[in-house]
Amino acid sequence: MLNVGFVGLGAMGWSMAGHLHRAGLLVAVANRSHDKAQRFAAEHAGVLALADAGELAGPCDVVISCVTADADVLGLAAVLAAKAKPGFVLVDTSTIASTSARKAAELLRAVGADFLDAPLSGGVEGARNGKLSVMVGGDAQTLERVRAALDTFAARITRMGEVGAGQNTKAVNQVLVAGIAQAVCEGLALGEALGLSADNLLPTLGAGAAANWFLDKRGATMLRSEFVPGFKLGLLHKDLKIVRELALAAGVNHDLIDLSLANYAALMAEGRADEDTSALIRLKRGR
Amino acid sequence: MLNVGFVGLGAMGWSMAGHLHRAGLLVAVANRSHDKAQRFAAEHAGVLALADAGELAGPCDVVISCVTADADVLGLAAVLAAKAKPGFVLVDTSTIASTSARKAAELLRAVGADFLDAPLSGGVEGARNGKLSVMVGGDAQTLERVRAALDTFAARITRMGEVGAGQNTKAVNQVLVAGIAQAVCEGLALGEALGLSADNLLPTLGAGAAANWFLDKRGATMLRSEFVPGFKLGLLHKDLKIVRELALAAGVNHDLIDLSLANYAALMAEGRADEDTSALIRLKRGR
């Protein structure tokens, strides 16, 4: 039986840690604002709240992290490497650069521990229902050691290659996510302007070749101008900056990435970074 | 029991007429190149091939058309109106301007007949499987009279409003279709350049928030550079010109429409109008 620790109790992480707890695997949690970790421990019997994430290396065989920035992951890898026993594994589910993932792996491998990059897709709904798509980069045997933990919140776990391949896959995923948001928001803004009723329009579009996850999950709310995340547009903007670097280095076209970066930057300049990505329809409506 | 005629035995129409035949509703067909109508009649016992589409108004209560251009539909409405009995209905499933749909309706209503615009989504797969989404504009009672015919090839039939509302809905659908093609092609081109294997990449993307019809149906073929339609990019370009006019008149944003028009025009200039819309990945790969 794995002893699992969890770092990062945000919109996704809180649900994921809950699944680990229900499976009887979760030993301890840590979070940047410690009061949230304490609240999680109070609501989940038998789980420790540690103020210092590095201390998780003591009781845990594996730590799963779901944080925001590259620096968060590298800092966590460093404090865990300082205390990790050989065989310890850090599985990072955040979206960061593949270069940062490889640096984190170096820190842990230097002490006989290991690292997997394992970014996610499926949104807050996927986290809540335990139906996330997990894109793994790293050693195949290490993945088998921790698979039971990932299984608690995954619909599908795919090993994409060595460390960094998970992040490269997530980059591709985010091009689709951002581009589909462009498509759905531009289309539904036109539908509104043409006076088509949402009650008819959404199921009609969903029954044909325009069908997609985002339309299904965000179509109705965006047409009511409800933009509670979901996935904060400021976070998608952060991801797309990483993706743009990759696309430039790879020499492929990045028209949609650039358009989405510009659009989300404009919304952030209006103070909307914490709105859902579907708030893009505000720009598509024209003004 | 309805007596149904069919005009336009293309990639979609051939399958749709087949469903009408199997339901015992199809009386006669016509097609611009008559030899195709003759071939259809030869393969479907009891179906007449008429050289003059206007003659369909004799034996048929309802004619369903699936043709290409606005002028085709207006020409058909004119020849049918010249011979239609009161109560006759033309149901046009082509993608044309809503203004053209309203003109066709005027021609038929002038002789006591009626018209529905009923464009489709779901692609050649939807036509083959009888699982199309049908977006109807026109009189509600007229729709009830012909519903049994549409049911033979529909997964869903939605009345969106008066004549033209079906075309307006299809315009929204095509913004999504074109934008999702942008998203999937730009994303998969990046995935190729990063060396991610299609066998892992496609199911991983499809299990999360990037899931969509186009990825599911065209992802594998485009990564093998197979661009057999499917949906010819020259036809999507034609549709998007209609959509752009609507978006301009409605005053909404049309960034993706413009990008797609430019991209498909570039591919058409290379002689690729008859390739599937997924051939957009050629441009996304960069060169």
Side-chain angles (χ1 to χ4, degrees), chain A residues 121-123 131-135 155-156 158-161 165 168-169 171-180 182-194 196-197 199-201 203-205 207-215 243 246-247 250-259 263 283-287, chain B residues 121-123 131-135 155-156 158-161 165 168-169 171-173 175-180 182-194 196-197 199-201 203-215 243 246-247 250-259 263 283-287:
Chain A
S121 186
K131 298 285 184 196
L132 292 165
S133 182
V134 188
M135 314 160 191
R156 182 181 176 94
T158 314
R159 181 173 175 271
M160 299 301 300
N168 283 345
T169 306
V172 173
N173 189 79
Q174 297 309 70
V175 176
L176 270 74
V177 162
I180 292 168
Q182 288 281 342
V184 175
C185 291
E186 190 164 316
L188 293 189
L190 177 61
E192 279 181 337
L194 295 172
L196 299 169
S197 94
D199 288 348
N200 285 333
L201 182 60
T204 304
L205 295 173
N212 66 84
W213 186 98
F214 186 75
L215 177 72
V243 175
L246 266 183
V252 296
N253 180 284
H254 42 85
D255 286 344
L256 277 191
I257 301 168
D258 291 352
L259 178 62
N263 288 166
L283 299 186
K284 296 291 185 178
R285 281 167 175 158
R287 353 172 222 194
Chain B
S121 185
K131 299 284 183 196
L132 293 165
S133 181
V134 188
M135 313 162 190
R156 181 183 177 93
T158 314
R159 183 174 175 269
M160 299 301 301
N168 283 345
T169 306
V172 173
N173 189 80
V175 177
L176 270 73
V177 162
I180 291 168
Q182 287 281 342
V184 174
C185 292
E186 189 165 318
L188 293 189
L190 177 60
E192 278 181 338
L194 294 172
L196 298 169
S197 93
D199 288 348
N200 285 332
L201 183 59
T204 303
L205 296 172
N212 66 84
W213 186 99
F214 186 76
L215 177 72
V243 176
L246 267 183
V252 296
N253 180 285
H254 42 87
D255 286 345
L256 278 192
I257 302 168
D258 291 352
L259 177 62
N263 288 166
L283 299 186
K284 296 291 186 179
R285 282 167 174 159
R287 4 175 210 190

